Amino acid sequence: MTTPPPDSPAPRYEPLRGLALWGEEEKAAALEVLESRSLFRYYGPAPLHRVDAFEERFAALAGAPHAVAVSSGTAALTCALIGLGIPEGAEVIVPAATFLGCVNAVVAARGVPVFADIDESLTLDPTAWEHLVTDRTFAVMPVHLHQAAADLDPVLAVQLERLPPMLRRLRDIARTVRADLADLGLRWRPLPDEEGSGGDLTLLLDDRMAARRLVTALTAAGVPAGTLYQGRLVHQNPAVRTGRTPWGTGWQAPGRLRASEAILGRSVTVGLGAAMTDDDVAHLAKSLRAAVTGAPGE
């Protein structure tokens, strides 16, 4: 809302929406929590479990099986992106007119915002974002702006129905490559549920040096490959290694988890894409065979 100049007359009402209805009932509810001295949902001398009750009621109102309350809309978007598994550097298409928190959420989730035009509804133009979709696109984030919902039908019709064939294609690629290289006796990452995976090609080598050599050979052949997290376990990350959260809670740093270090360090994951052609798949299989056997590739 634009701030009026200093000499403007006072507004006849404050467009505060929900806050405009704040009355004695809301004051009493807030005071009840304060007086309980249990300001956090999980602990305190007398937790009232108000957040739990709110989540249950909101879930019922929205017709959802569950709801999770967070601190802000920005936090909700960040949680959603991370919960959906956004890879680092993936792109998220957002409308050019939206609250800054939408972009902040993408950045906080280590994504890259891509901006699309709006239409006269002030929400995402359904015809203006399709050309922005690339193989790096992870999500489209329509924003419901100022009490008006964005038109979701075109968005759900471009991506949702494409998900099952995309997953089938990725799984087919993985199966094809593994079958093509079956004679090499390679050790693949075991998958508890083949049909529940998103398509995966991860090899387990004899040691870290073998994994590095394979990554180097595949990269030289134009095949995206790497060792997950560069072979570093989560507690070896500097943000975790200090053994203390930003708010001061400490924990005992674990010792060497040598089994996990060995498994992760000797793993090599090969990137797959749903848009890969049969020629791409054949090149991948040939490149893998050449890199593993040391034979010159074709």
Side-chain angles (χ1 to χ4, degrees):
M1 185 175 65
T2 303
T3 303
D7 55 350
S8 296
R12 295 183 59 181
Y13 68 95
E14 288 292 338
L16 298 177
R17 304 186 181 96
L19 290 179
L21 304 178
W22 188 282
E24 295 303 317
E25 183 179 357
E26 288 74 21
K27 292 178 183 177
L31 185 59
E32 184 181 20
V33 174
L34 287 173
E35 290 179 339
S36 74
R37 297 190 298 160
S38 303
L39 305 185
F40 303 96
R41 64 182 299 171
Y42 294 121
Y43 62 89
L48 301 178
H49 305 292
R50 292 291 187 258
V51 177
D52 294 339
F54 172 77
E55 290 172 341
E56 292 176 3
R57 292 176 62 188
F58 189 87
L61 180 66
H66 306 286
V68 177
V70 292
S71 61
S72 66
T74 303
L77 292 173
T78 305
C79 290
L81 289 169
I82 294 175
L84 289 169
I86 181 172
E88 182 174 354
E91 296 178 348
V92 178
I93 297 174
V94 298
T98 186
F99 181 60
L100 180 62
C102 300
V103 177
N104 286 346
V106 175
V107 175
R110 300 196 173 208
V112 177
V114 175
F115 302 97
D117 277 325
I118 62 170
D119 59 21
E120 291 185 351
S121 72
L122 302 184
T123 63
L124 186 67
D125 185 341
T127 67
W129 59 267
E130 275 197 49
H131 71 282
L132 298 174
V133 175
T134 70
D135 57 0
R136 298 181 300 278
T137 303
F138 176 77
V140 180
M141 186 188 288
V143 178
H144 307 315
L145 191 67
H146 279 204
Q147 327 318 311
D151 186 1
L152 295 182
D153 289 341
V155 178
L156 296 177
V158 170
Q159 290 295 316
L160 194 58
E161 293 180 358
R162 293 169 63 184
L163 180 59
M166 286 171 62
L167 290 175
R168 283 196 299 269
R169 176 58 176 164
L170 288 169
R171 293 166 186 159
D172 287 344
I173 291 172
R175 277 192 288 264
T176 297
V177 174
R178 289 198 294 267
D180 190 85
L181 303 178
D183 60 300
L184 298 181
L186 301 175
R187 296 179 63 187
W188 301 100
R189 171 193 181 196
L191 297 175
D193 179 10
E194 180 73 34
E195 288 304 312
S197 77
D200 182 274
L201 272 182
T202 297
L203 279 163
L204 297 176
L205 282 296
D206 291 334
D207 51 52
R208 285 177 175 264
M209 292 306 298
R212 291 179 183 177
R213 288 193 295 268
L214 183 59
V215 168
T216 299
L218 290 174
T219 303
V223 175
T227 295
L228 187 63
Y229 304 128
Q230 294 77 49
R232 185 172 64 180
L233 301 180
V234 65
H235 66 276
Q236 295 169 330
N237 187 295
V240 181
R241 191 170 55 219
T242 55
R244 186 169 297 276
T245 65
W247 51 91
T249 303
W251 64 86
Q252 182 66 39
R256 292 286 299 275
L257 301 177
R258 297 183 185 276
S260 297
E261 289 180 20
I263 292 171
L264 191 64
R266 59 188 177 87
S267 68
V268 174
T269 297
V270 178
L272 302 179
M276 291 176 68
T277 66
D278 290 343
D279 287 342
D280 294 331
V281 177
H283 174 74
L284 170 57
K286 291 176 182 177
S287 300
L288 264 169
R289 180 177 292 275
V292 169
T293 62
E298 298 182 19

